[in-house]
Amino acid sequence: MISRIMAALLLGIIGIIVPVHLSQAQEMATVQARAIVMPSMSIMGTHDLDFGSVIPGMSKAVNKTEAGSAGEWVIIGIPRAEINVAFILPDSLKESDGLDVLPIEFKMADGSYSDSTKGGQQNPAGILNPHQVSTTMIGQNGTLGVWLGGEVFAGPSQKSGLYTGRVTLTVTYTGN
């Protein structure tokens, strides 16, 4: 009888020990989560859109290919990264007192860009419509040049003086 109780007790102890021992027989492994945060891009306005002298009663246009007159920006960023390009355009230039205005117009093909695949400003890689957001890519060398032309309209009794306005270029990565 004692041997039966001992056998039962021994089997009970083995039954308890084995499941505890098996539950501790697990393995674990880990991996690292990582991401590379790329440097942000930079954008520099390198030349103003300059109409020079304008005669009252006349209009004066600047072509996007006119070096030294067209507005110019240089974007430096991740090579071949896709970006959105958007202009904020004035509808007029204001004289220093802010009371007199000189109307300005931008046509749908007044913007262009070069991603280093073509001949720069004179032979750009593509056209940008300054009235809408355009998607393009930074060049394989990490730069993109952007140019903008336009036209001003001086009325016959336009007050003389310096007229200025702000043209803003906004560039954002698309993530593609």
Side-chain angles (χ1 to χ4, degrees):
M1 171 100 163
I2 291 186
S3 61
R4 276 180 143 176
I5 292 175
M6 290 289 276
L9 194 52
L10 188 55
L11 284 174
I13 291 173
I14 291 174
I16 292 172
I17 293 174
V18 170
V20 170
H21 180 67
L22 289 178
S23 69
Q24 292 176 354
Q26 8 180 355
E27 297 297 326
M28 294 185 350
T30 60
V31 296
Q32 295 295 317
R34 52 183 218 162
I36 298 172
V37 176
M38 299 303 289
S40 62
M41 78 178 105
S42 65
I43 181 170
M44 296 165 282
T46 55
H47 196 279
D48 292 335
L49 175 55
D50 189 356
F51 293 94
S53 299
V54 181
I55 299 169
M58 311 242 355
S59 66
K60 186 164 185 187
V62 167
N63 192 294
K64 62 187 170 276
T65 62
E66 285 182 54
S69 295
E72 179 178 39
W73 294 264
V74 175
I75 301 158
I76 300 171
I78 300 168
R80 293 193 248 162
E82 186 178 86
I83 57 173
N84 284 334
V85 177
F87 292 92
I88 300 172
L89 304 168
D91 55 6
S92 63
L93 307 180
K94 292 185 173 41
E95 208 260 334
S96 59
D97 63 13
L99 300 174
D100 292 295
V101 297
L102 180 65
I104 187 170
E105 179 180 275
F106 300 94
K107 295 184 174 88
M108 291 187 327
D110 273 346
S112 65
Y113 68 91
S114 179
D115 58 4
S116 72
T117 61
K118 297 265 185 163
Q121 185 175 6
Q122 308 309 312
N123 186 18
I127 302 298
L128 297 172
N129 180 343
H131 298 287
Q132 66 185 30
V133 176
S134 299
T135 301
T136 188
M137 292 175 71
I138 294 177
Q140 65 187 15
N141 65 353
T143 64
L144 184 77
V146 175
W147 297 277
L148 181 68
E151 187 171 8
V152 292
F153 303 92
S157 59
Q158 191 79 42
K159 179 182 172 186
S160 65
L162 175 63
Y163 291 76
T164 62
R166 187 173 301 230
V167 179
T168 303
L169 180 65
T170 303
V171 182
T172 54
Y173 286 120
T174 66
N176 294 331

